[in-house]
Amino acid sequence: MAGHMTPEEFRRYGRQVVDWIADYHERIASMPVLSQVKPGDVQDALPARPPEEGEGFEGVLADLERIVLPGVTHWQHPSFFAYFPSNTSGPAILGDLLSSGLGVQGMLWATSPACTEMETRVADWMVDLLGLPAAFRGNGVIQDSASSACLVALLAAVQRTGGSAARDGIDRRHTLYVSSQTHSSLEKAARITGIGSANVRVVDVDPGTLAMDPAHLDALLTEDAAAGAVPVMVCATVGTTSTTAVDPVPAIGEVCRGHGVWLHVDAAYAGVAAVCPEFRWVNDGLAEHADSYSTNPHKWLLTNFDCTLLWLADRAPMIEALSILPEYLRNQATTSGDVIDYRDWQIPLGRRFRALKLWSVIRWYGAEGLRAHIRAGARLADALASWIAADPAFEVRDHHPFGLVCFRPRWAGLAPDEADAATLALMERLNASGDLYLTHTRVGGRVLLRLAVGGPATEERHVRAAWDRIREEAARPTA
Ligand SMILES: *Cc1c(COP(=O)(O)O)cnc(C)c1O
């Protein structure tokens, strides 16, 4: 038992694992969406000590079923409507398996040329598929997450402000510009870079659309520069996490240009919608103004986590900020300057062969298949919004251009605080039932339910059933 798994054994168990995954996807709809375990249940079911002697593989599959599965929230369930979707697909899973099978570590071009060159090519394919600016060609990289992409962009932006911060440390007050709707990873990036949370400047948003106000941004930048601060970066968002609000990138870009400030555009969720011509507007302003841009195929584009694309209009400041070449990594290809070493485009040194799964997905679906998937999600969200709008007991936010719909019961007769508590209690009951899973947000202080469509298994009947459950549960008298 103690030896390595032979190729013959790998074949046998590998088939079982692939069968298990296929069976899982076939029966997923019969499971409660949200895991019903209590804190500690899974740990208690796992032995406290590791085995001294190898046990083989059968037990792994048995325990997967017995211990792991009850502790899993089923993100691929057709009635998973929480957060944003985290799509997977057959070709993505197989591409990831191939990446594991090859087991390469692609930190340098020389450590696996195919890992680097396929990534550059696939990122260029995405420039075509999404209709992104030509300057992004050859300047794309796959990151583990949008959070990392924002951090890399911020480090590049710090570098561009003067060039010595990476070497000498930040010695003046640096500032970062976001709105109240910007993803929390930007504040985290400010902490990590040493800019500090206190120097994150929060630009006003329009109270209706929740879009960043470019005039207020301009005022803050002017005020800060006059006070001796170094404005580093503005982060605009296309499709905010809370409500999919869209910042006016062209107007924000004009302001950034006026002040010589880096513009990062975070389209983690919504950017991939540009695969459809009718969604190309999500790219407005990128060609003229964006210094960096990121979107996540691992949310709505059928590629399992982790796969975030980051592009830069000019990669030089990023590489100046992040490149360190110790003796043990020196090699001829790097020295020649003819190749990309993606270790200089990210925080860690090591990296997986992630391009394989995206390549598999694009080849399997083609542009047409990807468009059909985005359209299916957007169409279901439209249908849901129209059903909600037709029910006088509910109100729905008008803005739902993608797959997310935000709404709430009106709770006639309840004060705002009581109504919010009732909305949250309704959500808890629905999620505890296992029939569906949805999350919430707050807009103008008031609680809204968020229902995000976009999983490949989700059909109209699942959205209809969710809506029926929500209405029925909201109408039920409670204690
Ligand atoms: C989901 C999301 C992120 C974070 O994405 P990760 O890849 O999970 O780090 C960032 N920005 C926006 C707008 C998002 O919706």
Side-chain angles (χ1 to χ4, degrees), residues 273-341:
V275 73
C276 301
E278 67 272 28
F279 281 115
R280 279 285 156 89
W281 58 265
V282 301
N283 298 337
D284 285 355
L286 291 182
E288 299 80 4
H289 300 294
D291 293 292
S292 51
Y293 177 70
S294 54
T295 187
N296 288 355
H298 72 227
K299 276 180 171 163
W300 197 9
L301 205 69
L302 298 161
T303 309
N304 52 307
F305 190 86
D306 52 355
C307 186
T308 292
L309 280 158
L310 167 68
W311 286 276
L312 295 105
D314 172 12
R315 70 171 96 151
M318 168 186 68
I319 294 184
E320 284 160 22
L322 296 179
S323 181
I324 299 172
L325 187 62
E327 188 55 35
Y328 50 81
L329 293 179
R330 280 184 196 281
N331 67 90
Q332 215 191 339
T334 296
T335 313
S336 76
D338 294 339
V339 300
I340 283 177
D341 288 325

Side-chain angles (χ1 to χ4, degrees), residues 84 145-147 183 237 239 241 266 268-269 296 298-299 308:
F84 280 133
S145 64
S147 308
H183 192 264
T237 310
T241 316
D266 175 9
Y269 162 69
N296 288 355
H298 72 227
K299 276 180 171 163
T308 292

Side-chain angles (χ1 to χ4, degrees), residues 352-370:
R352 303 175 63 233
F353 198 162
R354 294 195 196 88
L356 272 174
K357 61 187 170 192
L358 187 54
W359 185 61
S360 306
V361 166
I362 297 171
R363 294 188 65 176
W364 178 268
Y365 287 94
E368 248 183 21
L370 298 176

Side-chain angles (χ1 to χ4, degrees), residues 160 212-215 217-219 221-222 234 236 247-265 284-291:
R160 204 180 67 177
M212 186 186 278
D213 174 4
L217 172 65
D218 195 21
L221 284 164
T222 304
V234 175
D247 289 337
V249 173
I252 291 169
E254 289 296 340
V255 173
C256 290
R257 173 172 302 175
H259 291 268
V261 179
W262 188 288
L263 174 62
H264 178 69
V265 178
D284 285 355
L286 291 182
E288 299 80 4
H289 300 294
D291 293 292

Side-chain angles (χ1 to χ4, degrees), residues 149-164:
C150 293
L151 177 56
V152 168
L154 187 56
L155 288 162
V158 168
Q159 182 70 21
R160 204 180 67 177
T161 59
S164 69

